[in-house]
Amino acid sequence: WSETWTAGVVGGATNITAKNVSNKGKIYGAAGYNSKTGGVFAETSVLLLENVNNSATVYGGNADYSVYTGGVAAEVNYSYSGKSYIKNCHNSAEIFGGDAPVTPDLRDDAYKYIGGLFGWSSNIDEIRDCSNSGNVNSKVVNLHPEYAPDDHVGGLFGANFSNVYDCNNSGDIYVERSGSIGGLAGASAAGDIFTRSVNTGDITLVDCCFMSEVGGITGTTQELLSECTNKGSIKVSESDSYEIPGTICIGGIAGESNSGVDENILNCTNEGKVEVLTPFTYSVFCGGILGRQASGVVGRSIKGCKNMGDIIGNDAIKGNAYTAGIVAVTYLTWVDNCVNTASVTGGIGLTQDS
């Protein structure tokens, strides 16, 4: 049940203030039950991180339970001693997330959080003017092709539970067999804000798992996305040897929304091509802005959004195929003042002979 913390500058810290700190040496994470690997920090609670940068490749360690890997830090959390701020932090190096699980008996409980900046970000009051330009990779290297851990992979964050302003990602994201993938965050939480942020990196998912959510800004979201833009292409494809069907929610801004805020996606734009190129899917939800608004979430809204990227859906061998310029499927959600200007090509749902 050991944890391993590996970092270029500080392994673990509490209530840290760090300014003008950088790492330029390659980082190789160690294996453990939990493995946390960061370019500058492994895990820390934050008062202030300002001008903290990483410019060397980070290789995450393998783990039986959870893997956290980030260009700046594997995990950052709020401070008990005051408000937490992260400003002008950058990663310019390639990130390779470790693999989990490495023990077959633990495969139902494994997690991965892989981000260009932070694997995990929790309750930071303000993250502002930060960027990633390094490619982010999460590949399955274990010997259990029937299983994918509960992965969260993003250009900035694997999972984000903080307020984010004016940040951007230009690194490409390549993922094998993962759950939640986003140009900025794999997953984001209720009550927080993602605003005026941009993704220009291309996103590639090879082989979906039982449920995969892929978005130009976030894979799955519960927060407000405001004035965000995706310019990167998004593609889901399949390897020749992989024939395990799953459900795909894919959108130019977000794959799936479980938002608890009234204005869910506000004044966002997608310019990237969105396409699903895999025949082994139960159901496909493919939208220019949002793939699917989860059932049971009512009274939410998509306002002032524009899709300019071509949308190509895919056939669904076990269920339905939904393809649309704005949102593929929504449950009692307001769609207001939105426009699609690109082509939309639909897939085929379950047929009588299937």
Side-chain angles (χ1 to χ4, degrees), residues 97-100 112 114 136-142 145 147-153 173-181 203-209 212 235 237-239 242:
D99 198 40
K112 291 168 68 175
I114 315 298
V136 179
N137 305 274
S138 178
K139 299 181 180 181
V140 174
V141 297
N142 64 38
Y147 169 74
D150 190 3
D151 291 6
H152 304 77
V153 184
I173 301 167
Y174 177 87
V175 181
E176 293 178 355
R177 213 170 306 148
S178 185
S180 301
I181 308 107
I203 301 170
T204 301
L205 169 62
V206 178
D207 300 336
C208 68
C209 56
S212 292
K235 180 190 292 186
S237 62
E238 185 174 285
S239 60
Y242 190 79

Side-chain angles (χ1 to χ4, degrees), residues 269-333:
T269 300
N270 175 57
E271 300 178 14
K273 184 178 183 180
V274 178
E275 57 183 333
V276 181
L277 302 173
T278 170
F280 291 99
T281 51
Y282 279 117
S283 294
V284 179
F285 304 88
C286 184
I289 298 298
L290 176 64
R292 180 173 69 174
Q293 177 81 49
S295 60
V297 181
V298 299
R300 310 309 177 210
S301 61
I302 302 171
K303 293 183 178 180
C305 293
K306 185 176 184 179
N307 176 59
M308 303 165 63
D310 291 342
I311 309 300
I312 302 174
N314 198 74
D315 301 349
I317 64 169
K318 296 290 185 179
N320 300 318
Y322 303 88
T323 312
I326 298 298
V327 53
V329 166
T330 180
Y331 299 87
L332 298 177
T333 298

Side-chain angles (χ1 to χ4, degrees), residues 226-300:
S226 174
E227 299 178 64
C228 292
T229 300
N230 173 58
K231 298 183 179 183
S233 65
I234 306 172
K235 180 190 292 186
V236 177
S237 62
E238 185 174 285
S239 60
D240 293 338
S241 60
Y242 190 79
E243 298 184 1
I244 299 175
T247 295
I248 299 174
C249 300
I250 179 172
I253 298 299
E256 183 174 52
S257 173
N258 295 281
S259 178
V261 296
D262 289 337
E263 291 185 333
N264 181 195
I265 303 177
L266 179 65
N267 297 328
C268 291
T269 300
N270 175 57
E271 300 178 14
K273 184 178 183 180
V274 178
E275 57 183 333
V276 181
L277 302 173
T278 170
F280 291 99
T281 51
Y282 279 117
S283 294
V284 179
F285 304 88
C286 184
I289 298 298
L290 176 64
R292 180 173 69 174
Q293 177 81 49
S295 60
V297 181
V298 299
R300 310 309 177 210

Side-chain angles (χ1 to χ4, degrees), residues 34-38 60 66-70 74-75 112-114 119-120:
N34 295 317
S35 179
K36 299 182 180 182
T37 310
S66 61
V67 170
Y68 297 74
T69 308
E75 181 177 353
K112 291 168 68 175
Y113 302 96
I114 315 298
W120 174 282

